[in-house]
Amino acid sequence: MLRSVMAFGVVLVLGLSSRASGGDINVIPQPVAVERADGAFRVTPSTRIVAQGAAAVEAKKLAAALAPAMGFVLEPTTSSKPGERAIEMRLDDSLSTLGAEGYELRVTPEQVAIVAAQPAGLFYGIQTLRQLLPAAVLRPTRVDDVAWDVPCVRITDHPRFGWRGLLIDPARHFIAKDDVLRFLDVMALHKFNRLQIHLTDNEGWRIEIKKYPQLTELGSQMDWNLRHRDGTGPRCFGFYTQDDIRQIVQYAADRHITIVPEIEMPFHAGAEIVAYPELGIAPDRLASLEPQKRWRETSGLVAPRPQTVIFFQDVLTEVMELFPSRHIHIGGDEANIELWTNDPEMQAQMKRLQLKDAHGLHSWFIAQMDAFLSSHGRRLVGWDEILQGGLAPGVTVMSWRGEQGGIAAANAGHDVVMAPTSHTYFDYYQGPAASEPLAIGGNLPLAQVYSYDPVPEAIAPDRVRHVLGVQGQLWGEFIATPAHRYYMAYPRAAALAEIGWSAREAKDYEQFVSRLRHHLERLRVLGITFRPLD
Ligand code: ACM
């Protein structure tokens, strides 16, 4: 469908790269097609934003984005007078060839026009426009003496992938709601459209569930902190109320970002076992212990008896009420299922269900969740371990232990999101460990992130459509503050944004870094504590 546009884009993008040294178009992620012309459009207090209907909703977002630095609000209006210099935003079905997120942006000295088939496309056009303006436009307070000029240009743009995600981990170190909102703002500038929130793990349960109040009363209060055993570090306790969640989901939706909730099971489940020891293996013994002691003894693995299945389905019922995301993530990774093999009750459970071994029990448990989510019109996503033992057709696999899981799943007809440790684990070091803040390990420099292609050759051509996209992980064991989170995320997430959005053929690391130098000025203005380039 998009082939002709892509071909057009490649020629023009290459054209851009040849003038990159003197050019003033430094957009990240790189648009598909950029055609520069002479001159500029100047935004002044008398500039009008012209938009109607759903486009007017997006137009308000543009006005709000420009107002703090410019010091004036461009009131949206529904029509322009002849000869009036205006920013026009318009929905137009004829651009549906660019997909639901594509847009055209045309700038002449007289007019800026952002046109798209869907509101999301207009929103992404706004993000590009923000990057065409001087970086100072991102400043949160009024900036005087800046000419708000937009270079004349014609951009045709659409994303390569429909899933362009990041993951944050408030389970390990709680992330205050306002910090999540700010994180979403920065994601939007990079045209990300998924934020997976790892809401539960051994170290904490971070979402209020009305039916099971102890999940947060006990499960959000555990003092596990890895880095600050002396108690001097930032608090890792806390949880989101259901009102907090509604606010985060709405704030994200306003930025065309879907929040993908992750409720981990059957492993990484220590917090809920502390709260409800009847979920664990050998529950009577767990119940007899103090919560803090219990936490050390849980092993983090639930026992998948029928009541445990009901517990998680109850939790997912409340989760589905809060999160409109079609995809609901249930974890499924790293389960130490040998503990089931050696447990008499679980042996009896396997026998009753006629399952061969503990792998069978793991698959059975995941299948219960899949059937439940599917019956509510949702789709289960899990880490690639869920492939073991076979999968129902509608399940989506997130490939983290390299690409093999993603390749196998896509070739078997499953949707996949590529999230391999080798290229997308932003909790890894990004330079020599001795000169970096303490991290979990690994080594993932910026260039390696940028080199990633989410469609491995081993995926059959007719299965490539199953690659939904790519996601970067900010696991939180060692990330306790927003400043550190931004340091680990950027600029690697800028590279990932480009992998997820820009045409494969246009990838050019040198040219990316050249644009990135300008982009880092934007992040600086925003107050983002990114890692400087080497
Ligand atoms: C994972 O990093 N265990 C998905």
Side-chain angles (χ1 to χ4, degrees):
M1 173 179 74
L2 298 170
R3 190 153 298 153
S4 61
V5 175
M6 298 282 271
F8 171 67
V10 170
V11 171
L12 293 170
V13 165
L14 292 177
L16 170 71
S17 86
S18 68
R19 68 160 87 205
S21 54
D24 48 4
I25 309 280
N26 293 290
V27 176
I28 289 182
Q30 171 76 315
V32 169
V34 180
E35 207 176 347
R36 179 77 168 87
D38 291 336
F41 177 95
R42 178 158 297 179
V43 183
T44 69
S46 64
T47 306
R48 319 271 279 169
I49 306 185
V50 183
Q52 294 176 9
V57 175
E58 302 304 318
K60 283 205 185 94
K61 297 176 192 172
L62 173 60
L66 302 183
M70 290 189 179
F72 47 84
V73 181
L74 304 177
E75 280 302 331
T77 155
T78 51
S79 61
S80 64
K81 301 189 189 75
E84 191 172 57
R85 294 171 60 268
I87 301 173
E88 187 195 355
M89 295 182 59
R90 187 160 48 79
L91 290 170
D92 182 345
D93 274 346
S94 73
L95 287 189
S96 58
T97 49
L98 295 179
E101 300 183 306
Y103 66 93
E104 274 186 8
L105 171 59
R106 264 173 257 133
V107 182
T108 65
E110 293 76 38
Q111 196 203 38
V112 173
I114 307 176
V115 190
Q118 299 283 336
L122 294 180
F123 184 77
Y124 294 130
I126 292 171
Q127 303 319 311
T128 299
L129 181 60
R130 292 171 78 200
Q131 295 196 24
L132 294 176
L133 281 155
V137 78
L138 299 172
R139 207 172 277 286
T141 51
R142 182 179 165 145
V143 188
D144 291 319
D145 303 326
V146 172
W148 300 113
D149 284 351
V150 187
C152 290
V153 71
R154 181 186 170 131
I155 291 176
T156 305
D157 202 12
H158 60 84
R160 181 176 172 202
F161 295 107
W163 186 303
R164 305 179 301 279
L166 292 176
L167 173 150
I168 54 171
D169 178 9
R172 269 54 178 267
H173 283 96
F174 184 64
I175 305 172
K177 180 189 68 183
D178 285 348
D179 293 332
V180 177
L181 304 186
R182 176 128 173 81
F183 194 81
L184 285 162
D185 283 334
V186 186
M187 284 180 71
L189 182 66
H190 295 82
K191 304 189 175 86
F192 282 108
N193 67 356
R194 292 285 187 291
L195 177 62
Q196 180 171 336
I197 308 192
H198 186 72
L199 287 164
T200 72
D201 211 305
N202 293 334
E203 296 82 1
W205 184 281
R206 308 299 182 198
I207 174 171
E208 177 189 22
I209 298 294
K210 303 272 190 203
K211 188 158 184 181
Y212 298 105
Q214 279 160 228
L215 287 173
T216 42
E217 278 166 21
L218 282 175
S220 74
Q221 300 298 317
M222 288 172 306
D223 190 7
W224 76 282
N225 198 319
L226 258 187
R227 294 183 66 192
H228 304 281
R229 284 183 205 282
D230 61 358
T232 59
R235 279 168 56 92
C236 53
F237 312 140
F239 66 92
Y240 306 113
T241 65
Q242 295 204 347
D243 277 345
D244 290 337
I245 295 283
R246 277 186 275 270
Q247 198 181 332
I248 291 169
V249 165
Q250 185 59 51
Y251 194 89
D254 289 344
R255 286 150 185 77
H256 296 277
I257 296 171
T258 301
I259 303 285
V260 179
E262 181 181 4
I263 306 292
E264 268 273 16
M265 60 190 91
F267 182 54
H268 291 283
E272 55 265 47
I273 301 174
V274 167
Y276 294 98
E278 60 269 34
L279 296 169
I281 299 168
D284 293 343
R285 198 179 83 78
L286 289 173
S288 71
L289 304 171
E290 287 296 306
Q292 196 68 27
K293 183 94 195 297
R294 196 183 291 161
W295 177 58
R296 290 199 188 91
E297 300 286 319
T298 64
S299 78
L301 185 71
V302 299
R305 51 180 83 82
Q307 277 309 113
T308 305
V309 171
I310 290 170
F311 165 84
F312 280 110
Q313 293 181 343
D314 286 344
V315 168
L316 290 176
T317 296
E318 295 193 31
V319 165
M320 286 188 287
E321 281 164 13
L322 292 166
F323 296 91
S325 172
R326 183 149 185 253
H327 292 93
I328 307 284
H329 205 300
I330 55 79
D333 56 318
E334 298 184 304
N336 47 349
I337 53 178
E338 314 77 54
L339 295 178
W340 295 338
T341 310
N342 301 325
D343 177 65
E345 189 199 352
M346 288 302 102
Q347 286 163 359
Q349 167 81 335
M350 287 183 245
K351 204 160 167 204
R352 200 164 39 245
L353 295 168
Q354 299 183 320
L355 300 169
K356 202 164 81 241
D357 55 18
H359 284 294
L361 189 56
H362 189 259
S363 290
W364 173 84
F365 179 72
I366 300 294
Q368 303 305 300
M369 298 305 144
D370 177 42
F372 183 73
L373 290 171
S374 300
S375 73
H376 290 84
R378 306 299 181 99
R379 288 202 157 202
L380 180 146
V381 198
W383 301 107
D384 56 54
E385 286 91 334
I386 65 170
L387 274 166
Q388 290 156 9
L391 277 184
V395 167
T396 299
V397 172
M398 207 166 256
S399 189
W400 74 280
R401 297 175 303 171
E403 297 185 303
Q404 282 314 313
I407 292 167
N411 284 337
H414 293 287
D415 286 347
V416 302
V417 175
M418 301 306 277
T421 53
S422 56
H423 295 84
T424 69
Y425 267 45
F426 298 162
D427 56 335
Y428 283 12
Y429 285 105
Q430 49 194 323
S435 54
E436 292 291 322
L438 185 63
I440 199 155
N443 180 35
L444 178 52
L446 178 68
Q448 190 169 327
V449 178
Y450 194 79
S451 73
Y452 188 54
D453 189 278
V455 181
E457 292 203 339
I459 296 182
D462 65 335
R463 302 291 169 152
V464 166
R465 68 191 155 84
H466 286 298
V467 180
L468 301 183
V470 66
Q471 182 168 288
Q473 281 52 245
L474 286 154
W475 295 110
E477 288 95 330
F478 290 81
I479 304 178
T481 65
H484 190 191
R485 192 170 306 106
Y486 285 119
Y487 180 91
M488 298 306 274
Y490 292 95
R492 291 186 291 191
L496 190 81
E498 186 141 318
I499 292 164
W501 182 282
S502 306
R504 179 191 210 163
E505 299 79 1
K507 256 172 77 170
D508 176 335
Y509 185 63
E510 298 291 308
Q511 207 246 20
F512 167 71
V513 170
S514 153
R515 279 179 286 119
L516 184 61
R517 290 186 197 284
H518 294 267
H519 190 68
L520 292 182
E521 178 56 21
R522 296 180 193 123
L523 297 184
R524 205 179 334 266
V525 163
L526 281 169
I528 301 302
T529 48
F530 61 86
R531 182 191 185 273
L533 296 179
D534 289 323

